[in-house]
Amino acid sequence: MAEAMMKHVNGGLAEKFGPVFDPTAVVAEPVPPVVTENGHELKHKTAEKEIVLGKNVHASCFSVTEPEADDEFTGDKEAYMAGVLARYRKTLMERTKHHLGYPYNLDFDYGALAQLQHFSINNLGDPFIESNYGVHSRQFEVGVLDWFARLWELENNEYWGYITNCGTEGNLHGILVGREVFPDGILYASRESHYSVFKAARMYRMECVKVDCLISGEIDCADFKAKLLQNKDKPAIINVNIGTTVKGAVDDLDLVIQTLEESGFTQDRFYIHCDGALFGLMMPFVKKAPKVSFKKPIGSVSVSGHKFVGCPMPCGVQITRMEHINVLSSNVEYLASRDATIMGSRNGHAPIFLWYTLNRKGYKGFQKEVQKCLRNAHYLKDRLLDAGISAMLNELSSTVVFERPQDEEFVRRWQLACQGNIAHVVVMPNVTIDKLDDFLNELIENRSTWYEDGKRQPPCIAADIGSENCVCAAHK
């Protein structure tokens, strides 16, 4: 029955998009040629822009005030707090309307789960072993893990996993397992990997080698091979990005595995962790996407639950092979359970939210949402280019990269994520065409004032997105 279900699922995932959807592939290019000066080659450096930090929250925080002696009779305190919360809710509604730069799906309704908010649900310990603490949601957690294990083609008796508190925890755990399997292994990660990967290297005191990227943001396997060959005597622990943070680039898992094998690394000398924070749940529903599967020699996969799935609190899913987790786990008498997670206490509400959404949407529901996101992302990219604004969209991605707005207030209003001379919009299921039109109209109107005096020109971002996507004065 499980085999039949997988055939049905995989058949559904491979369905073509409708005739209206005609994505243009962004062909991976070599890194731009080096600049020469006085006959000497210089490595290209991205123009550095001063980081603009956000406002100090102390200036606008809600102070905690001590209640008056007679507050329990007058209710003044309750009225004050109710007023603060009402204003805060209004702020949340307004900020949700102008949310484009971060990969969170804000389109959800969990009203049916309000009845559970009165319970302190804690899934401390191993999800598969019931601890002495009885107010837990392991039955939901394991159901969710089984769903993801089936998605990534790993049998129930061959995997171990848990619901993490965030995407970073998934990366920390995956890399930790890799380090425990290969204590003297070297961590390889592309320069555009999420910052949590390099945080893991610092925390675990691991030797970390940064690998160059193609202009798309995808790992450069030629550079990867060269660096592997420099360290042939040590095992390799590799972070593969299923969607990079800034450009939404998907590393070619098959090419990474091929590069390892060509460099003389047999499967017993490497461990691959797949960081699928956002796109890990989108890729199975895109026909041309590299398939993430435990039928390939990978060690672990992690995704975020608050991103494409759309949970109201940060959470994630981490799955690894059962054979690997034994090197990390230890029994804890206090819990009457086993400890193999990063954190001790874990949010027991998160698995219920994930379970609820998976049941409501299922594979077909996610497939429709992926199709909508990709179509809307292409719409945004095309309109930006039509307006004379440099923009790039990787094939397989819903992250649209474009020139960084010159007004930081505009950046904050639309909650854009920026790096150097580029910014991006992540098109999620809650991002409609109307919302994109509002953003585009406001951007075009404001942009006309940023460059109206002629003293400033739109930046050239060919080094970031490729000359074919840049429409600055030099590349029109």
Side-chain angles (χ1 to χ4, degrees):
M1 181 176 175
E3 197 171 307
M5 180 179 288
M6 277 309 303
K7 286 181 180 176
H8 169 72
V9 168
N10 289 334
L13 303 186
E15 285 185 10
K16 291 183 178 179
F17 293 141
V20 180
F21 182 62
D22 183 25
T24 304
V26 177
V27 180
E29 297 181 352
V31 175
V34 294
V35 180
T36 59
E37 186 177 293
N38 299 327
H40 297 289
E41 289 187 345
L42 300 175
K43 287 187 177 179
H44 171 77
K45 290 185 177 179
T46 303
E48 292 186 1
K49 187 180 180 77
E50 183 181 354
I51 296 176
V52 180
L53 298 178
K55 296 177 181 177
N56 189 326
V57 177
H58 264 122
S60 58
C61 74
F62 299 128
S63 300
V64 175
T65 58
E66 294 298 317
E68 297 293 338
D70 59 350
D71 260 4
E72 60 179 304
F73 302 105
T74 63
D76 289 347
K77 191 69 171 183
E78 284 75 10
Y80 161 74
M81 292 188 293
V84 170
L85 292 174
R87 291 193 298 274
Y88 176 60
R89 183 177 184 276
K90 188 175 180 181
T91 299
L92 290 178
M93 293 175 67
E94 173 60 26
R95 300 312 287 140
T96 297
K97 279 194 248 177
H98 299 90
H99 182 277
L100 285 177
Y102 295 87
Y104 306 135
N105 181 2
L106 306 181
D107 183 18
F108 52 75
D109 181 3
Y110 291 106
L113 303 184
Q115 58 187 313
L116 305 179
Q117 299 308 303
H118 300 288
F119 299 95
S120 176
I121 309 176
N122 192 331
N123 285 4
L124 69 176
D126 190 304
F128 301 93
I129 303 173
E130 188 167 352
S131 74
N132 289 337
Y133 185 79
V135 189
H136 63 75
S137 63
R138 283 179 176 78
Q139 58 273 61
F140 293 93
E141 183 171 20
V142 174
V144 170
L145 294 171
D146 284 350
W147 189 92
F148 278 95
R150 191 162 63 247
L151 181 69
W152 295 322
E153 300 183 307
L154 193 57
E155 294 298 324
N156 288 357
N157 63 345
E158 295 178 345
Y159 88 86
W160 185 92
Y162 73 105
I163 306 299
T164 63
N165 290 303
C166 61
T168 288
E169 187 181 348
N171 286 340
L172 291 177
H173 192 275
I175 293 170
L176 178 61
V177 173
R179 201 279 306 270
E180 293 299 292
V181 173
F182 296 118
D184 61 337
I186 295 176
L187 175 62
Y188 296 86
S190 80
R191 295 184 183 278
E192 298 208 16
S193 298
H194 190 260
Y195 64 84
S196 62
V197 173
F198 306 110
K199 178 191 289 188
R202 292 194 303 273
M203 290 175 66
Y204 304 146
R205 297 291 189 266
M206 297 173 69
E207 183 179 352
C208 181
V209 174
K210 291 186 178 180
V211 181
D212 291 340
C213 294
L214 304 175
I215 202 147
S216 63
E218 182 182 340
I219 190 171
D220 181 349
C221 281
D223 185 58
F224 179 42
K225 185 173 185 178
K227 287 171 176 170
L228 282 171
L229 293 175
Q230 292 172 8
N231 301 284
K232 288 187 69 174
D233 58 325
K234 290 189 176 181
I237 301 166
I238 308 97
N239 177 76
V240 170
N241 295 304
I242 312 302
T244 57
T245 308
V246 177
K247 296 181 181 179
V250 177
D251 293 342
D252 189 331
L253 175 59
D254 295 331
L255 185 57
V256 167
I257 295 170
Q258 179 184 326
T259 303
L260 284 159
E261 293 171 345
E262 289 175 353
S263 304
F265 286 78
T266 52
Q267 291 185 16
D268 60 347
R269 295 191 63 243
F270 68 79
Y271 179 98
I272 296 175
H273 170 67
C274 297
D275 175 11
L278 169 60
F279 294 112
L281 189 52
M282 296 177 70
M283 289 304 96
F285 306 98
V286 181
K287 186 179 180 184
K288 295 181 182 179
K291 188 174 180 60
V292 176
S293 167
F294 279 92
K295 292 187 182 301
K296 300 176 182 180
I298 63 174
S300 53
V301 184
S302 63
V303 297
S304 295
H306 55 290
K307 292 179 180 172
F308 194 75
V309 178
C311 268
M313 73 282 287
C315 61
V317 175
Q318 161 69 359
I319 284 185
T320 187
R321 297 179 187 273
M322 180 67 79
E323 64 192 78
H324 294 326
I325 204 62
N326 293 328
V327 301
L328 187 65
S329 62
S330 59
N331 295 330
V332 182
E333 183 179 3
Y334 165 75
L335 301 177
S337 183
R338 181 173 58 182
D339 176 45
T341 63
I342 296 288
M343 302 297 177
S345 293
R346 292 183 290 110
N347 188 336
H349 289 272
I352 304 173
F353 281 87
L354 290 171
W355 175 87
Y356 188 82
T357 298
L358 296 181
N359 272 282
R360 286 190 66 185
K361 296 181 179 178
Y363 293 108
K364 287 293 185 183
F366 285 120
Q367 185 179 31
K368 289 179 182 178
E369 290 196 336
V370 169
Q371 179 176 354
K372 173 188 171 185
C373 290
L374 294 180
R375 281 180 169 165
N376 288 356
H378 279 271
Y379 171 82
L380 172 59
K381 182 209 66 171
D382 292 342
R383 277 213 55 192
L384 285 166
L385 291 173
D386 290 344
I389 301 173
S390 301
M392 178 189 82
L393 174 62
N394 272 309
E395 189 181 26
L396 313 177
S397 177
S398 66
T399 299
V400 182
V401 183
F402 57 99
E403 70 177 52
R404 180 176 185 156
Q406 296 299 304
D407 182 357
E408 292 303 322
E409 283 304 314
F410 179 87
V411 168
R412 287 198 184 95
R413 169 172 163 77
W414 286 98
Q415 300 165 66
L416 303 178
C418 302
Q419 180 175 286
N421 285 323
I422 58 175
H424 75 208
V425 163
V426 185
V427 179
M428 299 298 287
N430 62 291
V431 177
T432 63
I433 292 293
D434 288 342
K435 187 171 187 175
L436 291 175
D437 283 340
D438 289 342
F439 166 73
L440 284 159
N441 294 336
E442 194 172 316
L443 174 62
I444 293 168
E445 182 181 348
N446 279 270
R447 190 172 180 270
S448 65
T449 65
W450 300 335
Y451 305 114
E452 65 182 349
D453 57 6
K455 294 179 181 178
R456 287 194 300 176
Q457 292 292 324
C460 173
I461 56 174
D464 296 294
I465 65 173
S467 57
E468 73 279 14
N469 297 307
C470 183
V471 293
C472 71
H475 291 102
K476 280 185 178 177

